[in-house]
Amino acid sequence: MGGRPIGLVFPGQGTQRQAMGAPWRDTPSWEPVTSEISEATGEDIADLLLHATTEQLRRTDLAQVSVFSVAMTAHAEAVRRGAFDGPVVACAGHSLGEYAALTAAGAYTLSAAAALVAARGRAMREASGAREGTMGVLVAAPLESVEHLVDGVRQEGADVWVANVNAPGQTVVSGSPEGVGRVADGASSIGAKFIRLQVGGAFHSPYMAPAAEALAAALKDTAAAPRHLPVVANVDARPYDGAVGWTELGTRQLTSPVLWEESVRTLTGALGCGRLVEIGPGRTLAGLIRRIDPGVEVVSVDGPAALD
């Protein structure tokens, strides 16, 4: 892969698909990683990654632990093979992917992070059950136009907020079905195409406040390493390399926008990453990164063949 400083990036919920563990099943990392996560979460991870139906994987808690498990298996196998031929200098993850980033960076043990992911998924599922919400993505409109449209809808009394700033011309909104519906109706007025997302709730919005409260308790009880590789936080796109802050950052993340575009710029700018390696299912982040910074090299590790 070349000798330049590497940033590892990890995808979030929405990248799950049936049998996504299959490419990794025959690698030496499969059994130890899936067993450890199964023990920490109480789920049969190997079975989930090989046999869960699309319908099961729509469940927020199962989707999250599945995506995390594939990412950690892939990361373990990359490390085992010595596949990174430059120094890994920083990590970042999109939403749920932040927990894989924290594990890869050495902030949390695999078991501790898996337990946090399970707690987070359950809390988000419960919050979604208590208050119906949805999300959608606006493509091709500048962020300012999206923010103006969203603010207008909210002033009219419908709940909707900007949830993810993913890349130039890709902004996700989150809120009540009515609020998101009104944004969809107004999309063409700002030159945007609207795509409804298949999610179980209004993530990264104030609707997740009860989930944030539950997750805060789990985060408080989980020790992070006093020093670790820098991890760029979703909530403010700044790098953190010590135990201070993750309880608050992780809690805030559930109700705050994911600043992914700015996070990538932090990796390639201040942190000096000349190459970004996406680890986990799919190639979603690679597509976003190419739009954010066309000059950076990006590689997706979505199967063992990518490590050769």
Side-chain angles (χ1 to χ4, degrees):
M1 291 180 191
R4 282 180 291 170
I6 292 169
L8 304 182
V9 295
F10 297 88
Q13 192 177 341
T15 56
Q16 70 273 10
R17 56 180 187 271
Q18 268 185 292
M20 63 181 171
W24 300 100
R25 179 175 41 190
D26 297 327
T27 64
S29 301
W30 170 262
E31 211 287 322
V33 173
T34 56
S35 295
E36 189 172 337
I37 298 174
S38 295
E39 199 170 315
T41 61
E43 297 286 352
D44 184 339
I45 296 300
D47 186 62
L48 255 184
L49 297 186
L50 297 173
H51 307 300
T53 63
T54 301
E55 194 51 45
Q56 284 173 302
L57 291 173
R58 281 206 186 101
R59 249 181 64 178
T60 296
D61 52 340
L62 298 183
Q64 292 195 27
V65 77
S66 298
V67 171
F68 173 80
S69 299
V70 171
M72 291 331 310
T73 304
H75 177 261
E77 189 60 17
V79 170
R80 190 191 72 80
R81 293 194 195 185
F84 306 126
D85 66 349
V88 174
V89 298
C91 301
H94 192 287
S95 186
L96 157 73
E98 193 154 271
Y99 290 84
L102 284 162
T103 312
Y108 291 127
T109 63
L110 179 61
S111 294
L116 286 172
V117 167
R120 181 181 187 269
R122 283 193 301 270
M124 289 170 75
R125 190 175 175 222
E126 280 165 24
S128 302
R131 200 166 188 189
E132 192 189 356
T134 189
M135 300 174 79
V137 59
L138 288 136
V139 180
L143 176 62
E144 295 71 30
S145 304
V146 174
E147 287 174 335
H148 185 70
L149 174 61
V150 165
D151 289 348
V153 169
R154 210 165 52 245
Q155 277 163 14
E156 289 163 10
D159 285 346
V160 66
W161 298 269
V162 167
N164 304 0
V165 183
N166 280 339
Q170 198 196 102
T171 308
V172 176
V173 298
S174 181
S176 67
E178 184 200 358
V180 173
R182 286 203 205 168
V183 169
D185 293 342
S188 60
S189 72
I190 58 167
K193 180 184 173 193
F194 180 87
I195 304 161
R196 198 168 283 280
L197 295 177
Q198 294 300 313
V199 291
F203 305 144
H204 301 293
S205 84
Y207 277 26
M208 287 294 115
E213 209 171 299
L215 181 61
L219 282 162
K220 268 194 202 85
D221 293 340
T222 307
R227 303 294 297 172
H228 55 77
L229 272 183
V231 176
V232 180
N234 285 183
V235 295
D236 60 8
R238 287 166 58 187
Y240 293 85
D241 61 2
V244 179
W246 284 112
T247 296
E248 192 237 347
L249 293 165
T251 304
R252 266 173 65 202
Q253 194 224 58
L254 289 189
T255 56
S256 305
V258 172
L259 304 180
W260 186 249
E261 180 181 338
E262 208 182 318
S263 296
V264 170
R265 295 193 194 283
T266 299
L267 287 169
T268 60
L271 295 172
C273 300
R275 174 190 299 110
L276 297 180
V277 180
E278 175 182 18
I279 300 182
R283 299 181 171 196
T284 303
L285 297 183
L288 296 177
I289 289 162
R290 287 188 183 104
R291 288 169 64 177
I292 297 164
D293 186 346
V296 73
E297 186 188 344
V298 57
V299 182
S300 294
V301 177
D302 58 355
L307 298 174
D308 294 338

